[in-house]
Amino acid sequence: MHPNQIVSNPAFAQTNIRALVFDLFAILFIYMVPTLTHLIGIKLYMLEPMRLMVILAMVHTRRQNAYILAMTLPLFSFVVASHPVFIKSALIGVELLAMVFAFFTLTRFMHKLAAIFISIWISKLLYYLLKYLAIMTVLPAEPLVGTPLLLQLLTSAIFSFYVFLLFRDK
């Protein structure tokens, strides 16, 4: 698209503004998670706020925006809060990218409810495989599973149900 067409295309500009506002909200939310965790005494990271923001981007903005957030939210969290450590931030980034890729690939073949749930768990399996390799090499003191699997199953089901509600008529 030619730059002049972009400026004169209100739908394109509106989509970009919506994505930019969403990204700003997502970054501020991730920035505030450590503070909120300390204030309320609940480990909010166990509820997978980065995954939530990426899933919201997947269904409310453009595909490219979901990829951008998947790559940048873990890095942003590391740079701003030093949490998680760099290696885990990189692993989370790979996990989120894999989830986005799997979701958009699977939606061509199946209902979005199944696609989101399966993509979450494909990405989790990839994350745990990579984390296992990291534990064997550079993170020996790190537990393989930090968040209880039942809680992960619950958040996956809630996120999937949200996607289902959004697309149930389509």
Side-chain angles (χ1 to χ4, degrees), residues 7-52:
V7 173
S8 64
N9 185 342
F12 184 81
Q14 184 180 15
T15 301
N16 282 339
I17 290 170
R18 183 175 42 193
L20 185 62
V21 168
F22 183 88
D23 290 355
L24 182 61
F25 171 76
I27 288 170
L28 289 173
F29 179 74
I30 295 304
Y31 181 74
M32 294 303 297
V33 165
T35 303
L36 292 172
T37 295
H38 292 298
L39 285 174
I40 63 176
I42 298 172
K43 298 176 182 176
L44 293 175
Y45 66 86
M46 293 183 126
L47 301 177
E48 302 186 88
M50 286 187 221
R51 182 180 312 281
L52 172 62

Short mmCIF file of all heavy atoms in Angstrom, two decimals, residues 7-52:
data_model
loop_
_atom_site.label_atom_id
_atom_site.label_comp_id
_atom_site.label_asym_id
_atom_site.label_seq_id
_atom_site.Cartn_x
_atom_site.Cartn_y
_atom_site.Cartn_z
N VAL A 7 -2.81 7.10 4.47
CA VAL A 7 -3.33 8.30 5.11
C VAL A 7 -4.79 8.53 4.71
O VAL A 7 -5.61 8.93 5.53
CB VAL A 7 -2.46 9.54 4.73
CG1 VAL A 7 -3.09 10.81 5.24
CG2 VAL A 7 -1.06 9.36 5.29
N SER A 8 -5.12 8.25 3.46
CA SER A 8 -6.49 8.51 3.01
C SER A 8 -7.45 7.37 3.28
O SER A 8 -8.61 7.45 2.96
CB SER A 8 -6.47 8.82 1.50
OG SER A 8 -6.05 7.68 0.79
N ASN A 9 -6.97 6.29 3.89
CA ASN A 9 -7.82 5.13 4.18
C ASN A 9 -8.20 5.15 5.66
O ASN A 9 -7.43 4.70 6.50
CB ASN A 9 -7.08 3.85 3.81
CG ASN A 9 -7.95 2.62 3.97
OD1 ASN A 9 -8.98 2.65 4.64
ND2 ASN A 9 -7.51 1.53 3.36
N PRO A 10 -9.40 5.63 6.01
CA PRO A 10 -9.77 5.75 7.42
C PRO A 10 -9.87 4.40 8.13
O PRO A 10 -9.56 4.30 9.31
CB PRO A 10 -11.11 6.46 7.41
CG PRO A 10 -11.56 6.51 6.00
CD PRO A 10 -10.42 6.17 5.12
N ALA A 11 -10.27 3.35 7.44
CA ALA A 11 -10.37 2.03 8.07
C ALA A 11 -8.99 1.54 8.48
O ALA A 11 -8.81 0.99 9.57
CB ALA A 11 -11.04 1.03 7.13
N PHE A 12 -7.99 1.74 7.62
CA PHE A 12 -6.63 1.33 7.93
C PHE A 12 -6.09 2.12 9.13
O PHE A 12 -5.51 1.55 10.05
CB PHE A 12 -5.72 1.53 6.71
CG PHE A 12 -4.32 1.04 6.92
CD1 PHE A 12 -4.02 -0.31 6.79
CD2 PHE A 12 -3.30 1.92 7.26
CE1 PHE A 12 -2.73 -0.76 6.98
CE2 PHE A 12 -2.01 1.48 7.45
CZ PHE A 12 -1.73 0.12 7.32
N ALA A 13 -6.32 3.44 9.12
CA ALA A 13 -5.86 4.28 10.22
C ALA A 13 -6.54 3.90 11.52
O ALA A 13 -5.91 3.82 12.57
CB ALA A 13 -6.12 5.75 9.90
N GLN A 14 -7.85 3.63 11.48
CA GLN A 14 -8.59 3.25 12.69
C GLN A 14 -8.09 1.93 13.24
O GLN A 14 -7.93 1.78 14.46
CB GLN A 14 -10.08 3.16 12.38
CG GLN A 14 -10.92 2.88 13.60
CD GLN A 14 -12.41 2.81 13.27
OE1 GLN A 14 -12.79 2.70 12.12
NE2 GLN A 14 -13.22 2.87 14.29
N THR A 15 -7.80 0.96 12.36
CA THR A 15 -7.27 -0.33 12.80
C THR A 15 -5.93 -0.15 13.48
O THR A 15 -5.66 -0.75 14.51
CB THR A 15 -7.14 -1.28 11.60
OG1 THR A 15 -8.43 -1.45 11.02
CG2 THR A 15 -6.60 -2.63 12.02
N ASN A 16 -5.07 0.68 12.90
CA ASN A 16 -3.75 0.92 13.49
C ASN A 16 -3.85 1.64 14.82
O ASN A 16 -3.10 1.33 15.75
CB ASN A 16 -2.86 1.70 12.53
CG ASN A 16 -2.32 0.81 11.45
OD1 ASN A 16 -2.27 -0.41 11.60
ND2 ASN A 16 -1.93 1.40 10.35
N ILE A 17 -4.74 2.60 14.93
CA ILE A 17 -4.91 3.32 16.19
C ILE A 17 -5.43 2.37 17.26
O ILE A 17 -4.94 2.37 18.39
CB ILE A 17 -5.85 4.54 16.00
CG1 ILE A 17 -5.14 5.61 15.16
CG2 ILE A 17 -6.28 5.11 17.35
CD1 ILE A 17 -6.04 6.73 14.71
N ARG A 18 -6.39 1.53 16.90
CA ARG A 18 -6.92 0.56 17.86
C ARG A 18 -5.82 -0.39 18.33
O ARG A 18 -5.70 -0.67 19.52
CB ARG A 18 -8.07 -0.22 17.24
CG ARG A 18 -8.71 -1.19 18.20
CD ARG A 18 -9.92 -1.88 17.65
NE ARG A 18 -9.69 -2.28 16.27
CZ ARG A 18 -10.63 -2.69 15.47
NH1 ARG A 18 -11.87 -2.75 15.87
NH2 ARG A 18 -10.36 -3.06 14.24
N ALA A 19 -4.99 -0.87 17.40
CA ALA A 19 -3.88 -1.76 17.76
C ALA A 19 -2.88 -1.04 18.65
O ALA A 19 -2.39 -1.61 19.63
CB ALA A 19 -3.20 -2.30 16.50
N LEU A 20 -2.58 0.20 18.34
CA LEU A 20 -1.63 0.98 19.14
C LEU A 20 -2.16 1.20 20.56
O LEU A 20 -1.42 1.04 21.54
CB LEU A 20 -1.35 2.32 18.46
CG LEU A 20 -0.29 3.19 19.10
CD1 LEU A 20 1.06 2.49 19.09
CD2 LEU A 20 -0.19 4.52 18.37
N VAL A 21 -3.43 1.55 20.68
CA VAL A 21 -4.05 1.74 22.01
C VAL A 21 -4.04 0.43 22.78
O VAL A 21 -3.71 0.39 23.97
CB VAL A 21 -5.48 2.32 21.88
CG1 VAL A 21 -6.23 2.26 23.19
CG2 VAL A 21 -5.41 3.74 21.37
N PHE A 22 -4.38 -0.67 22.10
CA PHE A 22 -4.37 -1.97 22.76
C PHE A 22 -2.96 -2.31 23.25
O PHE A 22 -2.78 -2.77 24.38
CB PHE A 22 -4.88 -3.07 21.82
CG PHE A 22 -4.95 -4.40 22.50
CD1 PHE A 22 -6.09 -4.77 23.18
CD2 PHE A 22 -3.85 -5.25 22.51
CE1 PHE A 22 -6.15 -5.99 23.85
CE2 PHE A 22 -3.90 -6.46 23.17
CZ PHE A 22 -5.06 -6.83 23.84
N ASP A 23 -1.95 -2.09 22.40
CA ASP A 23 -0.57 -2.39 22.78
C ASP A 23 -0.14 -1.57 23.98
O ASP A 23 0.52 -2.09 24.89
CB ASP A 23 0.38 -2.13 21.61
CG ASP A 23 0.21 -3.13 20.50
OD1 ASP A 23 -0.57 -4.09 20.65
OD2 ASP A 23 0.86 -2.94 19.45
N LEU A 24 -0.50 -0.31 24.00
CA LEU A 24 -0.16 0.54 25.13
C LEU A 24 -0.80 0.00 26.41
O LEU A 24 -0.15 -0.09 27.45
CB LEU A 24 -0.60 1.98 24.86
CG LEU A 24 -0.27 2.99 25.94
CD1 LEU A 24 1.24 3.08 26.16
CD2 LEU A 24 -0.81 4.36 25.57
N PHE A 25 -2.08 -0.37 26.32
CA PHE A 25 -2.76 -0.96 27.47
C PHE A 25 -2.06 -2.25 27.92
O PHE A 25 -1.84 -2.46 29.11
CB PHE A 25 -4.23 -1.26 27.14
CG PHE A 25 -4.92 -2.07 28.19
CD1 PHE A 25 -5.32 -1.48 29.38
CD2 PHE A 25 -5.15 -3.42 28.01
CE1 PHE A 25 -5.94 -2.23 30.37
CE2 PHE A 25 -5.76 -4.18 28.99
CZ PHE A 25 -6.16 -3.58 30.17
N ALA A 26 -1.72 -3.12 26.97
CA ALA A 26 -1.07 -4.39 27.30
C ALA A 26 0.27 -4.15 27.99
O ALA A 26 0.58 -4.79 29.00
CB ALA A 26 -0.88 -5.24 26.04
N ILE A 27 1.05 -3.23 27.48
CA ILE A 27 2.36 -2.93 28.07
C ILE A 27 2.19 -2.35 29.47
O ILE A 27 2.89 -2.75 30.40
CB ILE A 27 3.16 -1.99 27.14
CG1 ILE A 27 3.62 -2.78 25.91
CG2 ILE A 27 4.35 -1.38 27.87
CD1 ILE A 27 4.20 -1.92 24.81
N LEU A 28 1.26 -1.43 29.64
CA LEU A 28 1.02 -0.87 30.97
C LEU A 28 0.53 -1.94 31.94
O LEU A 28 0.94 -1.96 33.11
CB LEU A 28 0.01 0.28 30.89
CG LEU A 28 0.52 1.55 30.23
CD1 LEU A 28 -0.62 2.56 30.05
CD2 LEU A 28 1.66 2.16 31.02
N PHE A 29 -0.33 -2.82 31.47
CA PHE A 29 -0.82 -3.90 32.32
C PHE A 29 0.33 -4.80 32.77
O PHE A 29 0.47 -5.11 33.96
CB PHE A 29 -1.89 -4.72 31.57
CG PHE A 29 -2.42 -5.87 32.38
CD1 PHE A 29 -3.29 -5.66 33.43
CD2 PHE A 29 -2.05 -7.18 32.07
CE1 PHE A 29 -3.78 -6.72 34.17
CE2 PHE A 29 -2.53 -8.24 32.81
CZ PHE A 29 -3.40 -8.01 33.85
N ILE A 30 1.18 -5.21 31.83
CA ILE A 30 2.32 -6.07 32.17
C ILE A 30 3.29 -5.32 33.07
O ILE A 30 3.86 -5.88 34.00
CB ILE A 30 3.03 -6.57 30.88
CG1 ILE A 30 2.09 -7.48 30.09
CG2 ILE A 30 4.34 -7.28 31.20
CD1 ILE A 30 1.53 -8.68 30.84
N TYR A 31 3.45 -4.02 32.84
CA TYR A 31 4.31 -3.20 33.69
C TYR A 31 3.79 -3.18 35.13
O TYR A 31 4.57 -3.17 36.08
CB TYR A 31 4.36 -1.79 33.10
CG TYR A 31 5.24 -0.83 33.86
CD1 TYR A 31 6.62 -0.91 33.78
CD2 TYR A 31 4.69 0.17 34.65
CE1 TYR A 31 7.43 -0.02 34.46
CE2 TYR A 31 5.48 1.06 35.34
CZ TYR A 31 6.86 0.96 35.23
OH TYR A 31 7.65 1.82 35.91
N MET A 32 2.47 -3.18 35.29
CA MET A 32 1.87 -3.07 36.62
C MET A 32 1.74 -4.40 37.34
O MET A 32 1.50 -4.41 38.55
CB MET A 32 0.49 -2.41 36.51
CG MET A 32 0.52 -0.97 36.05
SD MET A 32 1.55 0.10 37.08
CE MET A 32 0.70 0.01 38.64
N VAL A 33 1.87 -5.52 36.67
CA VAL A 33 1.67 -6.83 37.31
C VAL A 33 2.57 -7.02 38.54
O VAL A 33 2.08 -7.41 39.60
CB VAL A 33 1.81 -7.99 36.30
CG1 VAL A 33 1.97 -9.34 37.01
CG2 VAL A 33 0.59 -8.02 35.39
N PRO A 34 3.89 -6.75 38.44
CA PRO A 34 4.71 -6.92 39.66
C PRO A 34 4.25 -6.03 40.82
O PRO A 34 4.21 -6.46 41.97
CB PRO A 34 6.12 -6.53 39.20
CG PRO A 34 6.11 -6.73 37.73
CD PRO A 34 4.72 -6.41 37.29
N THR A 35 3.86 -4.79 40.51
CA THR A 35 3.39 -3.87 41.55
C THR A 35 2.09 -4.39 42.16
O THR A 35 1.94 -4.42 43.39
CB THR A 35 3.17 -2.46 40.96
OG1 THR A 35 4.39 -2.02 40.38
CG2 THR A 35 2.72 -1.49 42.02
N LEU A 36 1.16 -4.79 41.32
CA LEU A 36 -0.11 -5.34 41.83
C LEU A 36 0.11 -6.59 42.65
O LEU A 36 -0.56 -6.80 43.66
CB LEU A 36 -1.07 -5.63 40.66
CG LEU A 36 -1.59 -4.41 39.91
CD1 LEU A 36 -2.36 -4.84 38.66
CD2 LEU A 36 -2.46 -3.55 40.81
N THR A 37 1.04 -7.43 42.22
CA THR A 37 1.36 -8.65 42.97
C THR A 37 1.82 -8.31 44.38
O THR A 37 1.38 -8.93 45.34
CB THR A 37 2.45 -9.46 42.22
OG1 THR A 37 1.90 -9.89 40.99
CG2 THR A 37 2.91 -10.65 43.03
N HIS A 38 2.69 -7.32 44.48
CA HIS A 38 3.18 -6.92 45.81
C HIS A 38 2.07 -6.28 46.64
O HIS A 38 1.99 -6.48 47.85
CB HIS A 38 4.37 -5.97 45.69
CG HIS A 38 5.59 -6.62 45.16
ND1 HIS A 38 6.23 -7.66 45.81
CD2 HIS A 38 6.28 -6.41 44.02
CE1 HIS A 38 7.28 -8.05 45.11
NE2 HIS A 38 7.33 -7.31 44.02
N LEU A 39 1.21 -5.49 45.99
CA LEU A 39 0.14 -4.80 46.72
C LEU A 39 -0.92 -5.75 47.26
O LEU A 39 -1.38 -5.59 48.39
CB LEU A 39 -0.53 -3.75 45.83
CG LEU A 39 0.26 -2.48 45.57
CD1 LEU A 39 -0.48 -1.60 44.56
CD2 LEU A 39 0.48 -1.71 46.86
N ILE A 40 -1.35 -6.71 46.44
CA ILE A 40 -2.45 -7.58 46.87
C ILE A 40 -2.00 -8.93 47.40
O ILE A 40 -2.81 -9.68 47.94
CB ILE A 40 -3.50 -7.77 45.74
CG1 ILE A 40 -2.88 -8.47 44.53
CG2 ILE A 40 -4.11 -6.46 45.34
CD1 ILE A 40 -3.87 -8.78 43.43
N GLY A 41 -0.72 -9.25 47.23
CA GLY A 41 -0.19 -10.48 47.81
C GLY A 41 -0.56 -11.74 47.03
O GLY A 41 -0.44 -12.85 47.55
N ILE A 42 -1.03 -11.60 45.80
CA ILE A 42 -1.36 -12.75 44.96
C ILE A 42 -0.38 -12.76 43.80
O ILE A 42 -0.13 -11.73 43.18
CB ILE A 42 -2.82 -12.65 44.43
CG1 ILE A 42 -3.80 -12.67 45.60
CG2 ILE A 42 -3.12 -13.76 43.45
CD1 ILE A 42 -5.23 -12.38 45.18
N LYS A 43 0.16 -13.92 43.50
CA LYS A 43 1.12 -14.05 42.40
C LYS A 43 0.37 -14.02 41.07
O LYS A 43 0.02 -15.05 40.51
CB LYS A 43 1.91 -15.34 42.55
CG LYS A 43 2.74 -15.39 43.81
CD LYS A 43 3.44 -16.72 43.95
CE LYS A 43 4.23 -16.75 45.24
NZ LYS A 43 4.85 -18.05 45.47
N LEU A 44 0.12 -12.82 40.56
CA LEU A 44 -0.67 -12.64 39.35
C LEU A 44 -0.02 -13.28 38.12
O LEU A 44 -0.73 -13.65 37.19
CB LEU A 44 -0.93 -11.16 39.09
CG LEU A 44 -1.83 -10.46 40.10
CD1 LEU A 44 -1.92 -8.98 39.81
CD2 LEU A 44 -3.21 -11.08 40.10
N TYR A 45 1.29 -13.42 38.13
CA TYR A 45 1.95 -14.03 36.98
C TYR A 45 1.49 -15.47 36.78
O TYR A 45 1.57 -16.00 35.68
CB TYR A 45 3.48 -13.95 37.10
CG TYR A 45 4.04 -14.76 38.24
CD1 TYR A 45 4.34 -16.11 38.09
CD2 TYR A 45 4.28 -14.17 39.47
CE1 TYR A 45 4.86 -16.85 39.14
CE2 TYR A 45 4.79 -14.89 40.53
CZ TYR A 45 5.09 -16.23 40.35
OH TYR A 45 5.59 -16.97 41.40
N MET A 46 0.99 -16.10 37.84
CA MET A 46 0.49 -17.47 37.72
C MET A 46 -0.79 -17.53 36.88
O MET A 46 -1.17 -18.59 36.39
CB MET A 46 0.25 -18.09 39.09
CG MET A 46 1.52 -18.32 39.86
SD MET A 46 1.17 -19.13 41.42
CE MET A 46 2.27 -20.52 41.26
N LEU A 47 -1.44 -16.39 36.69
CA LEU A 47 -2.65 -16.34 35.87
C LEU A 47 -2.33 -16.00 34.41
O LEU A 47 -3.23 -15.72 33.63
CB LEU A 47 -3.65 -15.32 36.46
CG LEU A 47 -4.09 -15.61 37.88
CD1 LEU A 47 -5.01 -14.51 38.39
CD2 LEU A 47 -4.77 -16.97 37.97
N GLU A 48 -1.06 -16.02 34.08
CA GLU A 48 -0.57 -15.84 32.72
C GLU A 48 -1.03 -14.54 32.05
O GLU A 48 -1.69 -14.55 31.02
CB GLU A 48 -0.95 -17.04 31.85
CG GLU A 48 -0.42 -18.35 32.40
CD GLU A 48 -0.67 -19.51 31.46
OE1 GLU A 48 0.20 -19.73 30.59
OE2 GLU A 48 -1.73 -20.15 31.59
N PRO A 49 -0.67 -13.39 32.64
CA PRO A 49 -1.12 -12.12 32.07
C PRO A 49 -0.57 -11.86 30.66
O PRO A 49 -1.27 -11.26 29.84
CB PRO A 49 -0.62 -11.07 33.06
CG PRO A 49 0.48 -11.75 33.81
CD PRO A 49 0.12 -13.20 33.85
N MET A 50 0.62 -12.32 30.36
CA MET A 50 1.15 -12.11 29.00
C MET A 50 0.34 -12.91 27.99
O MET A 50 0.01 -12.41 26.91
CB MET A 50 2.63 -12.48 28.93
CG MET A 50 3.53 -11.48 29.59
SD MET A 50 5.25 -11.88 29.27
CE MET A 50 5.94 -11.53 30.87
N ARG A 51 0.03 -14.15 28.33
CA ARG A 51 -0.79 -14.97 27.43
C ARG A 51 -2.15 -14.31 27.22
O ARG A 51 -2.67 -14.26 26.12
CB ARG A 51 -0.96 -16.39 27.98
CG ARG A 51 -1.76 -17.28 27.03
CD ARG A 51 -1.94 -18.69 27.55
NE ARG A 51 -0.73 -19.30 28.03
CZ ARG A 51 0.21 -19.84 27.25
NH1 ARG A 51 0.06 -19.84 25.94
NH2 ARG A 51 1.28 -20.38 27.78
N LEU A 52 -2.73 -13.81 28.30
CA LEU A 52 -4.03 -13.14 28.21
C LEU A 52 -3.95 -11.96 27.24
O LEU A 52 -4.81 -11.81 26.38
CB LEU A 52 -4.48 -12.67 29.59
CG LEU A 52 -5.73 -11.79 29.62
CD1 LEU A 52 -6.93 -12.55 29.09
CD2 LEU A 52 -5.98 -11.29 31.05
#
